[in-house]
Amino acid sequence: MFKVVSSDGTYIACERHGDVGRTVILVGGTLMTRARHAPLASLLAHDFTVINYDRRGRGDSGDGPVYDVQREVDDLDAVIERAAGPVSLFGMSSGAALALEAVARGSAVSSLALYEPPFVVDGTRPPLPADYVDRMREIVGRGEMAEAVTYFLTAGLGLPGEAIAGIRDTPVWAAWEATAPTLPYDGRLMGDTMSGRPLPADRWSAVNVPVLVGYGGAGEAYMANAAKGLASLGDNYTPHSFPGQGHKIDPHALAPVLTSFFTTGRPV
């Protein structure tokens, strides 16, 4: 384990797995710490030097008094600067949106793989409420972390309210409450990409590296539609379906595809 220092002085906690080939950096999604990607990191470490890190405000990383998307890009740039040689990124869920945004803003990356960025590009599910970020900030500001997680799961992910009681009884709930203060961050990061409208054609026009856009063949229709919509933005984007997978993808299904893409430029 090691730490890097971001541009605003925030410490970002990282773990290195393996010591061969190019560097692959794993970018987690909403409520995730680096523990979520530890199994994937171990699998990829046979072929790459893998850096698995905690985004700011999560796990062992620090945080700053004011959030801005650029600060998270700066965090990622600090991790990239610590890596040797060419760097590839894998982003999961909202981490996919962050990885894409970082490359668009000039982060030094040679290839990019994304899995189910949670864009809402049509009417297959309700859009994010227009006041989502403000309401989430207010809930977190009151210290009501269980309420914040519940609001994210219902308004953010679209889960029915009756499903929440069962989730509260699982061990992951306490971990989610611990990272709940970062929920407004991901709301800011996603911006208007969950509005139910098609993605703007020029939003990521500066991304000119090869991009793999994965989605689960057994997952939510809106996720698949978002991935296909993103992949339609340029010839450098390649859509890829993972048969039988949902949003919580099996790392054993994911690792071979990432290995092939980062090595050959093709997902299979």
Side-chain angles (χ1 to χ4, degrees):
M1 181 174 171
F2 63 95
K3 291 185 177 182
V4 298
V5 182
S6 191
S7 61
D8 68 347
T10 299
Y11 284 90
I12 303 300
C14 310
E15 284 182 347
R16 181 181 287 106
H17 300 252
D19 191 22
V20 296
R22 70 168 56 239
T23 298
V24 175
I25 299 173
L26 308 181
V27 188
T30 303
L31 297 178
M32 294 181 190
T33 67
R34 69 183 191 278
R36 172 68 180 276
H37 275 155
L40 176 63
S42 295
L43 293 171
L44 293 176
H46 297 292
D47 298 283
F48 307 104
T49 299
V50 182
I51 298 178
N52 185 19
Y53 81 101
D54 285 325
R55 289 170 57 189
R56 66 171 48 216
R58 309 163 199 230
D60 294 314
S61 287
D63 201 356
V66 179
Y67 178 79
D68 187 87
V69 173
Q70 184 60 48
R71 294 189 188 277
E72 283 223 77
V73 173
D74 291 345
D75 298 344
L76 186 50
D77 283 341
V79 180
I80 291 170
E81 288 172 10
R82 183 69 176 266
V87 170
S88 296
L89 297 184
F90 168 68
M92 167 75 186
S93 192
S94 67
L98 174 57
L100 185 65
E101 189 68 24
V103 176
R105 296 188 186 200
S107 295
V109 172
S110 61
S111 58
L112 175 63
L114 313 173
Y115 186 73
E116 292 200 341
F119 305 140
V120 180
V121 300
D122 55 26
T124 49
R125 62 146 279 183
L128 203 67
D131 64 346
Y132 174 85
V133 174
D134 289 340
R135 184 171 175 189
M136 186 64 82
R137 277 203 199 107
E138 189 270 327
I139 295 169
V140 168
R142 296 200 315 263
E144 299 289 346
M145 300 310 164
E147 184 181 347
V149 174
T150 298
Y151 186 57
F152 164 69
L153 294 175
T154 53
L157 288 189
L159 294 183
E162 56 269 22
I164 305 304
I167 302 174
R168 277 177 176 265
D169 294 332
T170 64
V172 75
W173 188 268
W176 284 351
E177 284 196 27
T179 53
T182 65
L183 285 169
Y185 301 176
D186 278 341
R188 287 273 302 279
L189 171 65
M190 297 310 298
D192 61 357
T193 61
M194 299 182 72
S195 64
R197 298 186 296 272
L199 297 172
D202 60 348
R203 171 72 178 268
W204 302 286
S205 59
V207 176
N208 54 20
V209 301
V211 183
L212 177 70
V213 188
Y215 59 95
E220 297 281 349
Y222 85 92
M223 294 279 195
N225 293 349
K228 294 171 186 175
L230 178 61
S232 71
L233 296 184
D235 293 338
N236 57 315
Y237 292 83
T238 301
H240 183 79
S241 175
F242 288 81
Q245 298 297 315
H247 196 56
K248 191 176 180 180
I249 188 171
D250 183 346
H252 290 87
L254 181 58
V257 175
L258 294 182
T259 298
S260 177
F261 178 70
F262 289 144
T263 303
T264 70
R266 299 182 299 275
V268 291

